[in-house]
Amino acid sequence: MDAIEVNNLTFSYDSETDVLKDISLRIPKGSYTTIIGHNGSGKSTIAKVLIGLLEPQAGTVKILGRELNEENLYDLRSHIGIVFQNPDNQFIGSTVADDIAFGLENRQVPQEDMQAIIEESAAKVGMNDYLNAEPTNLSGGQKQRVAIAGILAVKPDVIVFDESTSMLDPQGKASINKQIRELNKNKDRTIISITHDMDEVAQSEYVIVLENGQVMMEGTPQEIFAHQDELEKMGLALPFALKISNRLKDMGVLDHGLLSLDEVVNSLCQLKSKN
Amino acid sequence: MSIEIKELKYTYSPGSPFAHKALDGINLSIPEGQVTAIIGQTGSGKSTLVQHLNGLLKVQEGSIDIAGYHLEPQMKLKEIKQLRKKVGLVFQFPEYQLFEETIGKDIAFGPINFGDTPEMAMEKAKTILPKVGLDESLIERSPFDLSGGQKRRVAIAGILVQDPEILVLDEPAAGLDPQGAEEMMNLFMSLNKEQGKTIILVSHDMEHVLQYCDNVIVLENGKVKTFCDTKTFFKHPEWMKEIGINPPGIVTLKQKLMENGFVIDPEIFDEEELAVAIESQVKSNG
Amino acid sequence: MGNIALGRYMDLNSVVNKMDPRTKIMVLLIVMIAIFIPAGFWGYIPIAIFILAALKLSKLSIRFALRSMKPMMFMMVFLLVINVLVMKTGTLWFKWGWFSIYSDAVIQTLYIILRLLLMIVMTTILTATTKPLDLTLGLEKLLKPFEAIGLPAHIIAMMISIALRFIPTLIEETQRIMNAQASRGVDLENGTLKEKVMAVLALIVPLFVSAFDRADQLANAMEARGYDPSRPRTRYKMLKMHSADYMALCMALIVLLSDIGLWMAGI
């Protein structure tokens, strides 16, 4: 069973221009999937449709095999969570603990169970020392980690990251990217990350490329990055490791493109010692 | 004329329990006509320093010489408006400063404040639009109808239209997609190359710093930790590690290769040159 | 903004900090009623003693409490001027040409100022010892019985707590927009009226645009996390009354009763 199954989805904000045009896609359960495309390609719209914030004009969305509709929206939302872009505008509680509690309160989790869940979720994102901290005293990265903890507290099967690192400084970005990989380590959660960060894309398992509201390409990062020209036309740059290894491949030094710098260095060292 | 900053200190809410020392004795001489990056972690004092440059923050201690003005404590600078005209400051996410009904009026807002007649200002607005990559025909449209990236261009046009000598940019490419970011940076570089404008760029993006900047200033805890030319800076990846910033890919790769016994000219910062150097190393050993 | 004492929470870890917010709200209400009972000058004695004791127990200095009066200074002076000009009863204290001061004008104003002072100090104690969110929670619980007659207590409480949560964010935003517009030559101090109107517009419009933007994103975030105002919710923070709470309530009631007593006796 797929975590997400989208069939013939069409969406428009103003019923004139379609932002999403007859999209069909599947996201395997337990996978780490990235969705890329330049601004205005429909990436963020699809995220909002997946969690039922926007209702499509046509087509269906299935979450873990169940079709999303008005009646089961509330139930299905405990299976899917989303971390948005702006760290400030999704921090609802006045302290870290209150914010993590928000989802639990909505799910009517008994009060006596909350403290343990809050502490456990905060610990998973390394924020357990900050339970009483207020949002003004937290960095953007810390706020995003609290957002993740708030979602983990309700134990969802699917977590969507909608450009969650794009407003963070490098440290915040690195810590959230690490956190995302950590969340997917045991393959018991599906991660869908909408991103511009090509290094993150290189580390994911499955990539969906959107352009003008349509799925342009999908496949493993290797498969996607093989289409260098098309990607560049869409304004998407390749990760540096791949650019340089492709160049070295053209020069006849390497056999194929590589996705991480460590792989590049290893291959080159082997070549060097062989000669 | 370069920008001379001497012993600049600044404390927020001095004398209160919330007092916070943001700048602690900054000495800098930022060269004219070049692109200088200011980097450092959040809270290192970058934005405090930058807000001194056009007089948004008044000098508490020390002095600044910039664009023909001498700024020091306890002075009432009548010409502060003229200083702000000469030193254009583009804040992070500048699209949030738009407010007028039309793009033209919004861009003309600055020049009118600085003393132009509305007609002159509108004429300037018209000529600046193509320079930021927007069509002149948009001038009568509402800025709120535009996409995020276009809004930012309008906001930046609103500063460029003042024709500042010095342009201070705080993370101008944050939140844009890679193509949008590159176009934005190219716009500023052309202003530097073609019109000789001094550019100060606050950025977290080391790829941009390496690609576009001539000098690098590193701030840490309100002090200047490093001030050197870009190449020297990127020859020391450990300096970046110390302030928690990942070096650009090419610097990391060079360093890793050198650690593994490759001999690579430290002056190489170009992908193509690096590839050639690697090729010669791998093949020449045979 | 650093000097405003009114409404700022102070983490002083006092007995009053630990009290149930419901107690503190009720005590405030009771004392407010007592303040408005026309029990004459002596009526203010028990109230003043109660408030001084509350200040002491809250570990707040009298100076801090008085500082919260600052924003009211202008209003008080204004009140005095109006009263002196309008009220012409009691004994004549001063006369110079058409200008005269009668005793009632001054005494009445002093009474009003005293009432205001007591109320403001009392409110300052409440806000200085109670986190905004606890205050909201207390309010929600106290309003709960009125849900039966259709008052959406939890929605009101949610709105208040979100408003409180976003005050620092919006202050920061205001500062940022002001800086950005100042860089475009806006000068709030000098300039003609027309320029000033434009300057205010240049601040207000972006502030509204971004506030609506935030509200939209916040609503999405809340909905995505399963918030539905029509559904029941459990609450993480529980309120519990302790012996100190009952003591405080009793003391407040004694103050109220003694004022009522003085009032009755006076009649």
Side-chain angles (χ1 to χ4, degrees):
Chain A
M1 187 173 55
D2 290 319
I4 303 281
E5 187 186 328
V6 171
N7 289 312
N8 308 98
L9 188 76
T10 297
F11 178 85
S12 98
Y13 287 97
D14 55 8
S15 70
E16 273 170 37
T17 40
D18 289 340
V19 181
L20 301 175
K21 297 167 193 157
D22 196 25
I23 282 188
S24 296
L25 53 87
R26 281 151 196 277
I27 294 173
K29 206 174 160 188
S31 71
Y32 175 10
T33 299
T34 44
I35 300 182
I36 56 175
H38 68 72
N39 288 349
S41 59
K43 298 180 315 250
S44 284
T45 305
I46 203 166
K48 287 190 183 135
V49 174
L50 291 185
I51 54 164
L53 286 174
L54 296 175
E55 202 184 334
Q57 273 78 11
T60 58
V61 172
K62 278 186 189 171
I63 297 171
L64 301 159
R66 283 170 69 194
E67 192 178 316
L68 191 64
N69 58 40
E70 196 92 343
E71 284 79 50
N72 61 20
L73 186 59
Y74 180 79
D75 288 334
L76 280 179
R77 277 202 187 129
S78 45
H79 295 283
I80 181 163
I82 182 163
V83 180
F84 291 102
Q85 182 178 25
N86 191 316
D88 261 317
N89 300 350
Q90 54 188 320
F91 203 111
I92 297 147
S94 61
T95 65
V96 169
D98 286 313
D99 190 63
I100 300 175
F102 182 75
L104 300 173
E105 295 175 325
N106 296 335
R107 305 265 152 230
Q108 294 159 59
V109 172
Q111 197 269 343
E112 53 274 20
D113 300 342
M114 284 189 191
Q115 191 61 33
I117 301 174
I118 290 170
E119 282 170 20
E120 188 197 332
S121 321
K124 275 185 194 151
V125 298
M127 287 300 288
N128 38 339
D129 290 337
Y130 296 87
L131 285 180
N132 292 316
E134 291 172 19
T136 29
N137 300 323
L138 299 176
S139 70
Q142 287 175 321
K143 281 180 219 169
Q144 291 300 65
R145 279 195 271 160
V146 174
I148 297 174
I151 285 162
L152 289 179
V154 293
K155 306 198 164 47
D157 305 286
V158 184
I159 304 181
V160 182
F161 291 87
D162 184 5
E163 295 191 45
S164 310
T165 63
S166 69
M167 288 177 76
L168 303 181
D169 62 14
Q171 290 91 337
K173 215 168 263 189
S175 83
I176 298 299
N177 279 339
K178 199 172 146 227
Q179 193 72 55
I180 293 176
R181 289 199 296 279
E182 184 90 18
L183 291 174
N184 184 248
K185 202 173 59 188
N186 298 329
K187 299 288 158 208
D188 50 359
R189 271 186 219 101
T190 310
I191 303 288
I192 303 168
S193 178
I194 294 165
T195 184
H196 287 315
D197 180 349
M198 286 307 186
D199 291 315
E200 191 196 340
V201 174
Q203 293 193 347
S204 66
E205 297 159 320
Y206 196 69
V207 189
I208 296 170
V209 185
L210 290 187
E211 170 81 350
N212 291 326
Q214 282 171 315
V215 177
M216 217 27 199
M217 285 183 243
E218 49 187 319
T220 62
Q222 283 85 351
E223 288 163 2
I224 297 300
F225 288 139
H227 302 271
Q228 185 170 356
D229 294 343
E230 281 113 310
L231 287 174
E232 272 167 11
K233 244 179 250 156
M234 285 184 265
L236 298 167
L238 294 189
F240 174 74
L242 194 60
K243 263 197 277 183
I244 190 95
S245 52
N246 277 348
R247 183 73 198 100
L248 289 168
K249 185 185 79 179
D250 293 344
M251 294 165 102
V253 179
L254 291 174
D255 303 331
H256 53 86
L258 297 165
L259 287 180
S260 82
L261 283 181
D262 284 328
E263 287 176 86
V264 176
V265 173
N266 284 341
S267 312
L268 290 174
C269 286
Q270 277 171 18
L271 281 173
K272 193 170 184 244
S273 57
K274 237 185 265 170
N275 289 334
Chain B
M1 206 171 32
S2 59
I3 304 167
E4 300 291 336
I5 301 172
K6 292 201 182 81
E7 286 303 320
L8 186 67
K9 291 185 185 176
Y10 194 84
T11 305
Y12 285 100
S13 339
S16 82
F18 311 100
H20 163 64
K21 195 182 243 180
L23 296 181
D24 188 11
I26 301 277
N27 285 296
L28 285 169
S29 174
I30 302 172
E32 185 190 20
Q34 297 190 2
V35 185
T36 302
I38 301 182
I39 63 176
Q41 284 177 322
T42 309
S44 59
K46 288 173 299 187
S47 53
T48 309
L49 175 61
V50 159
Q51 286 177 44
H52 274 91
L53 297 179
N54 74 345
L56 285 175
L57 290 177
K58 298 218 165 74
V59 174
Q60 284 178 349
E61 224 184 309
S63 71
I64 303 174
D65 282 284
I66 183 165
Y69 292 91
H70 179 73
L71 314 176
E72 61 181 26
Q74 267 107 43
M75 64 188 307
K76 282 220 161 73
L77 192 65
K78 284 231 172 69
E79 308 91 343
I80 199 116
K81 237 180 170 175
Q82 289 309 308
L83 170 68
R84 286 184 186 159
K85 183 177 185 303
K86 286 188 175 172
V87 182
L89 183 49
V90 178
F91 279 86
Q92 229 180 80
F93 302 104
E95 51 274 31
Y96 281 111
Q97 70 192 38
L98 302 177
F99 73 102
E100 273 284 15
E101 308 150 67
T102 70
I103 291 170
K105 277 189 184 174
D106 207 295
I107 297 175
F109 180 63
I112 292 172
N113 285 328
F114 289 120
D116 283 354
T117 62
E119 294 72 34
M120 261 159 74
M122 200 53 107
E123 203 47 50
K124 284 185 184 171
K126 228 175 254 167
T127 47
I128 203 83
L129 267 180
K131 288 197 182 134
V132 294
L134 292 174
D135 199 86
E136 226 176 276
S137 62
L138 290 172
I139 202 144
E140 289 298 326
R141 292 262 300 276
S142 162
F144 299 105
D145 291 343
L146 301 177
S147 75
Q150 287 174 318
K151 273 187 207 163
R152 185 169 304 181
R153 283 162 194 270
V154 172
I156 288 171
I159 298 288
L160 294 184
V161 72
Q162 302 161 17
D163 195 25
E165 286 170 25
I166 299 167
L167 198 54
V168 184
L169 310 160
D170 189 357
E171 293 276 358
L176 297 179
D177 58 30
Q179 190 181 21
E182 200 184 317
E183 285 169 9
M184 193 62 77
M185 292 309 295
N186 285 335
L187 163 70
F188 298 128
M189 290 316 119
S190 71
L191 290 171
N192 170 254
K193 299 278 144 12
E194 290 157 23
Q195 300 177 32
K197 290 193 193 301
T198 306
I199 291 184
I200 295 174
L201 174 76
V202 177
S203 182
H204 286 311
D205 190 325
M206 289 307 115
E207 304 283 352
H208 286 168
V209 173
L210 173 62
Q211 200 179 339
Y212 301 112
C213 297
D214 301 310
N215 314 294
V216 180
I217 296 167
V218 182
L219 291 187
E220 194 178 53
N221 299 322
K223 290 195 168 93
V224 177
K225 188 180 161 76
T226 315
F227 179 28
C228 60
D229 65 279
T230 305
K231 281 195 171 173
T232 309
F233 180 72
F234 284 107
K235 278 178 209 162
H236 298 273
E238 69 278 5
W239 291 352
M240 280 159 263
K241 292 267 160 63
E242 276 168 31
I243 51 166
I245 287 178
N246 279 334
I250 193 158
V251 175
T252 311
L253 179 60
K254 237 167 58 174
Q255 188 200 12
K256 285 187 173 175
L257 287 173
M258 277 152 56
E259 280 166 7
N260 282 288
F262 281 78
V263 182
I264 291 164
D265 182 357
E267 296 297 327
I268 291 180
F269 287 102
D270 177 88
E271 250 171 70
E272 191 56 40
E273 287 175 30
L274 182 63
V276 173
I278 291 172
E279 185 191 29
S280 71
Q281 290 273 306
V282 174
K283 291 192 172 158
S284 68
N285 267 18
Chain C
M1 308 301 291
N3 294 320
I4 297 175
L6 188 69
R8 174 179 277 195
Y9 175 70
M10 309 283 284
D11 201 358
L12 293 169
N13 199 24
S14 72
V15 203
V16 186
N17 278 60
K18 290 190 194 99
M19 276 187 196
D20 190 313
R22 287 173 299 182
T23 311
K24 287 184 263 186
I25 297 171
M26 282 191 290
V27 165
L28 178 75
L29 280 176
I30 294 169
V31 175
M32 289 266 195
I33 296 171
I35 291 173
F36 276 100
I37 286 177
F41 175 73
W42 295 107
Y44 292 115
I45 301 291
I47 299 171
I49 294 174
F50 182 88
I51 291 182
L52 284 175
L55 268 176
K56 186 85 193 135
L57 286 172
S58 320
K59 297 186 185 172
L60 294 168
S61 68
I62 295 178
R63 240 186 57 209
F64 174 83
L66 289 180
R67 225 172 54 197
S68 58
M69 296 289 291
K70 254 190 195 160
M72 298 289 167
M73 275 311 195
F74 172 74
M75 209 181 101
M76 289 175 186
V77 173
F78 183 70
L79 209 69
L80 184 69
V81 171
I82 293 285
N83 271 352
V84 163
L85 289 179
V86 171
M87 227 180 257
K88 301 290 177 195
T89 55
T91 43
L92 180 68
W93 279 0
F94 180 83
K95 192 168 169 63
W96 188 69
W98 59 270
F99 183 75
S100 59
I101 298 177
Y102 283 84
S103 61
D104 277 7
V106 177
I107 293 170
Q108 283 296 329
T109 313
L110 282 181
Y111 268 127
I112 294 174
I113 289 178
L114 190 63
R115 280 179 185 172
L116 259 175
L117 179 90
L118 293 173
M119 283 195 296
I120 291 175
V121 173
M122 202 56 204
T123 317
T124 306
I125 296 176
L126 174 73
T127 52
T129 61
T130 320
K131 284 187 186 155
L133 194 87
D134 293 338
L135 207 58
T136 328
L137 190 60
L139 209 60
E140 181 185 347
K141 296 286 179 203
L142 284 174
L143 292 176
K144 195 108 198 151
F146 298 101
E147 281 193 341
I149 57 161
L151 185 84
H154 70 281
I155 295 179
I156 294 174
M158 178 62 78
M159 288 191 318
I160 298 174
S161 66
I162 285 176
L164 290 170
R165 146 78 185 90
F166 275 91
I167 285 173
T169 312
L170 289 177
I171 290 177
E172 218 171 274
E173 183 102 332
T174 309
Q175 190 59 52
R176 219 182 57 191
I177 295 170
M178 273 166 76
N179 277 340
Q181 304 301 32
S183 303
R184 292 210 278 167
V186 165
D187 185 351
L188 276 171
E189 282 150 37
N190 311 310
T192 64
L193 182 69
K194 193 182 167 227
E195 280 169 352
K196 277 187 183 155
V197 170
M198 278 305 275
V200 171
L201 271 183
L203 174 63
I204 298 287
V205 174
L207 200 56
F208 267 82
V209 170
S210 107
F212 278 113
D213 213 28
R214 282 181 196 281
D216 191 38
Q217 292 180 30
L218 188 74
N220 275 338
M222 289 173 71
E223 199 186 331
R225 287 175 71 183
Y227 180 71
D228 181 345
S230 64
R231 280 174 198 264
R233 305 175 72 221
T234 48
R235 294 306 297 265
Y236 166 54
K237 280 263 172 66
M238 287 301 234
L239 298 178
K240 224 176 156 201
M241 305 260 274
H242 298 282
S243 51
D245 292 291
Y246 296 111
M247 289 262 288
L249 277 171
C250 283
M251 296 308 291
L253 281 172
I254 290 172
V255 169
L256 177 64
L257 287 176
S258 54
D259 267 60
I260 293 178
L262 280 167
W263 176 36
M264 294 300 182
I267 289 169

